[in-house]
Amino acid sequence: MRNDLKFRHYTDRAVTLAVDLVNTRQAVTGEEELGHEEALASFAAAHGLAGEPSSAAELADVRVLRDRLRDVFGACGEKEAAGLINSLLEDVGAAPRVVAHDGSPTHFHFEPAGSGIVRRLGTTAVMGLAVVLCNYGSKRLGLCASPMCRSAFVDASKNARKRYCSETCATRENVAAYRARLRQAR
């Protein structure tokens, strides 16, 4: 994220988790990063949510959560995004609490203590997106405009007009458009 949008400690982690979770399944090819329980456990540990080993049922629930989070990134406006987030908050059972651990400053956690992996991933990701929506608007949440990609991203640019998830996708699409114009001109 750029420094233009300053998220807090919890929000940075939560927003990154939401984007990374949505992008564990490539929208165009269907390539799956969460193919088995060990992959889910590794994903959670990489995002600071280590816990007990994951079950097949939890993996299935996380995949459903992931699809619902993707819908938030693709929402058409504030009202739709808010409705999706509110539904997710209710379903994951967000219960705010203040904690200080591991040398971190005092911050919020939104899952009840002792929650399983689905609830920890869900509450963290959904609250991150809720903060972005409330503080910066739905225009900051997006899906890559490249038909070859469609990855989720959070737009931290100054003008909130980002269309692509990365410079790679933007360059690829701009080059393709340029080449198409050259072909037409011939």
Side-chain angles (χ1 to χ4, degrees):
M1 305 238 169
R2 289 184 39 172
N3 289 335
D4 302 37
L5 298 181
K6 294 272 189 194
F7 299 128
R8 295 284 211 204
H9 162 81
Y10 181 83
T11 309
D12 283 339
R13 253 188 62 232
V15 170
T16 299
L17 171 69
V19 169
D20 290 351
L21 181 57
V22 169
N23 292 334
T24 59
R25 181 175 173 278
Q26 211 292 326
V28 176
T29 65
E31 185 178 333
E32 178 66 70
E33 290 179 26
L34 298 179
H36 47 81
E37 294 88 359
E38 293 80 21
L40 175 56
S42 294
F43 177 86
H47 287 83
L49 298 170
E52 68 284 345
S54 303
S55 69
E58 288 173 320
L59 178 59
D61 288 345
V62 167
R63 288 177 176 167
V64 169
L65 169 67
R66 174 185 63 197
D67 293 343
R68 291 180 69 196
L69 288 170
R70 173 173 279 286
D71 292 342
V72 174
F73 284 92
C76 296
E78 311 281 319
K79 188 174 182 179
E80 182 182 358
L84 294 167
I85 287 173
N86 285 334
S87 177
L88 279 161
L89 286 171
E90 187 175 325
D91 291 349
V92 296
R97 58 192 172 100
V98 178
V99 298
H101 58 83
D102 303 327
S104 296
T106 304
H107 60 279
F108 284 111
H109 278 210
F110 292 95
E111 75 285 351
S115 294
I117 188 68
V118 178
R119 210 166 197 192
R120 289 194 316 267
L121 284 171
T123 56
T124 302
V126 175
M127 284 306 303
L129 295 181
V131 170
V132 171
L133 178 64
C134 291
N135 291 338
Y136 304 103
S138 64
K139 65 185 177 282
R140 295 291 181 171
L141 304 172
L143 297 173
C144 186
S146 171
M148 296 172 52
C149 179
R150 303 298 293 156
S151 289
F153 66 88
V154 174
D155 181 356
S157 68
K158 283 185 180 182
N159 64 5
R161 293 183 182 249
K162 187 172 173 179
R163 295 182 54 223
Y164 301 99
C165 67
S166 67
E167 287 299 317
T168 301
C169 283
T171 300
R172 181 180 58 241
E173 293 303 315
N174 288 331
V175 168
Y178 173 74
R179 288 178 179 162
R181 286 191 303 274
L182 284 180
R183 281 191 302 275
Q184 270 186 335
R186 289 183 191 163

